[in-house]
Amino acid sequence: MKALDNVSLTVKKGEIHGLIGETGCGKSVTSLTTLGLLDNNAIIRGGNILYKGVDLLELKEKTLRKEVRGNEISMIFQNPSTSLNPVYTAGEQIRESIVLYQSNDKEEAQRLVLDELDRVKLPDPEDVYEKYPHELSGGMMQRIMIAMMLACNSNLLIADEPTTALDVSIQAQFLKVLEELKEKENLSILYITHDMAVISEICDVVTVMYGGQIAETANVHDIFNNPRHPYTKGLIHSVPGVKLNIEEFETIPGTVPRLINPPSGCRFHPRCEYAQKICKEKKPSLEHIDKDHFVACYFWEEVK
Ligand code: SF4
């Protein structure tokens, strides 16, 4: 099974790059590949993952663990309660990162933990320091995860569906923290989600994935105002409130393909209202159609 095929994207410094698609389209495999976290039975047949000019695929596991994961690139997952250790307080877990990456002076580490808690806008840092994960809300736990990432001085954050388990108001607070970190600290973020509304709120650039391939990439303005791939258009129209002039929201017929036996040609053709004969026969390549706008569709000019 080919989980990813010709996937290529760039996350620039100080940019939030959204990676969107339905479940099973290859978003998480892309992020896990970046950090060398795929299962042992996964095979990478080719390509590069360049970070600061170094191909991460060339690095040994020991180097990835010591020099990349944590201190250069960090990742936060959907459910923070399964990422945090239940028998240590929030403060102790952040302090561990600080001792590893910043200072092993006990008093200074303690002060730096409080600074990190303040940076992610957690009220009453001294109180939060002493709390165990089960005493914190989902939004607070997710901010603890970000504080741990900041404590490592990471430059790139990969956030894999980080707000899925949060309610809407907590989600808004969390997104605000990410935006501030991008603005003030020039943090780069790869934000993985299936939620177009979240993409419209915080991303600068968006890559749409379908069936393990890239369907479209553009800046967030073009994705929402000038989508050229029928799948992107379908995602936008299926979310009420993202485009205010849509009277009725629609659904995309069918389901995502199983990659063990994907459809021929364009993998989206069984669900596509624009599909023609060629779509079933030949895979469209990713075409450069405007400044930073790429799309993999034979009939992108007809998509309105
Ligand atoms: Fe639809 Fe054909 Fe474009 Fe694929 S290539 S998205 S099937 S029109």
Side-chain angles (χ1 to χ4, degrees), residues 20-78:
I20 188 157
E22 291 160 285
T23 301
C25 70
K27 309 181 299 290
S28 295
V29 180
T30 303
S31 63
L32 293 172
T33 309
T34 306
L35 280 174
L37 293 173
L38 291 174
D39 288 340
N40 290 339
N41 59 356
I43 299 169
I44 298 173
R45 294 218 183 271
N48 315 96
I49 300 173
L50 297 174
Y51 178 78
K52 293 185 175 173
V54 175
D55 186 355
L56 300 184
L57 293 180
E58 299 285 321
L59 301 182
K60 293 203 161 59
E61 167 59 25
K62 194 174 163 196
T63 314
L64 271 174
R65 197 173 58 239
K66 283 191 148 181
E67 295 175 19
V68 178
R69 289 186 207 129
N71 52 352
E72 287 290 345
I73 308 174
S74 292
M75 190 158 177
I76 55 174
F77 296 92
Q78 194 177 113

Side-chain angles (χ1 to χ4, degrees), residues 181-237:
L181 289 172
K182 180 195 88 163
E183 296 299 335
K184 288 188 190 153
E185 321 219 359
N186 219 14
L187 184 70
S188 308
I189 301 172
L190 178 63
Y191 195 99
I192 297 169
T193 181
H194 59 264
D195 187 340
M196 268 301 197
V198 170
I199 288 276
S200 71
E201 263 181 61
I202 61 160
C203 293
D204 303 298
V205 177
V206 184
T207 293
V208 181
M209 285 190 77
Y210 186 79
Q213 299 170 336
I214 291 183
E216 186 164 10
T217 301
N219 65 62
V220 72
H221 179 270
D222 283 351
I223 283 288
F224 283 95
N225 294 292
N226 190 23
R228 289 305 182 152
H229 195 285
Y231 181 56
T232 311
K233 185 185 142 194
L235 288 176
I236 293 168
H237 283 242

Side-chain angles (χ1 to χ4, degrees), residues 26-186:
K27 309 181 299 290
S28 295
V29 180
T30 303
S31 63
L32 293 172
T33 309
T34 306
L35 280 174
L37 293 173
L38 291 174
D39 288 340
N40 290 339
N41 59 356
I43 299 169
I44 298 173
R45 294 218 183 271
N48 315 96
I49 300 173
L50 297 174
Y51 178 78
K52 293 185 175 173
V54 175
D55 186 355
L56 300 184
L57 293 180
E58 299 285 321
L59 301 182
K60 293 203 161 59
E61 167 59 25
K62 194 174 163 196
T63 314
L64 271 174
R65 197 173 58 239
K66 283 191 148 181
E67 295 175 19
V68 178
R69 289 186 207 129
N71 52 352
E72 287 290 345
I73 308 174
S74 292
M75 190 158 177
I76 55 174
F77 296 92
Q78 194 177 113
N79 193 345
S81 61
T82 56
S83 302
L84 290 168
N85 190 326
V87 299
Y88 289 100
T89 68
E92 285 166 340
Q93 296 187 58
I94 299 168
R95 193 178 60 199
E96 197 181 334
S97 300
I98 286 174
V99 168
L100 267 174
Y101 296 104
Q102 291 191 48
S103 164
N104 58 11
D105 177 90
K106 208 175 161 200
E107 272 182 28
E108 195 187 10
Q110 178 95 4
R111 183 182 58 72
L112 289 170
V113 172
L114 297 177
D115 286 352
E116 299 301 358
L117 290 170
D118 194 45
R119 253 164 117 190
V120 294
K121 305 268 181 287
L122 277 162
D124 201 352
E126 281 90 356
D127 183 52
V128 174
Y129 189 105
E130 302 296 341
K131 297 269 194 237
Y132 288 90
H134 74 272
E135 298 176 291
L136 301 167
S137 71
M140 291 170 95
M141 280 193 276
Q142 214 47 308
R143 278 187 265 177
I144 297 292
M145 294 302 298
I146 296 184
M148 287 171 74
M149 185 273 299
L150 293 172
C152 303
N153 284 329
S154 295
N155 292 305
L156 171 63
L157 168 66
I158 301 177
D160 191 353
E161 310 246 13
T163 56
T164 305
L166 308 182
D167 67 47
V168 178
S169 61
I170 302 293
Q171 172 179 296
Q173 290 170 15
F174 176 78
L175 295 178
K176 197 158 181 283
V177 169
L178 288 189
E179 267 193 306
E180 285 182 14
L181 289 172
K182 180 195 88 163
E183 296 299 335
K184 288 188 190 153
E185 321 219 359
N186 219 14

Side-chain angles (χ1 to χ4, degrees), residues 252-263:
I252 304 172
T255 53
V256 287
R258 295 194 57 195
L259 295 181
I260 208 149
N261 184 22

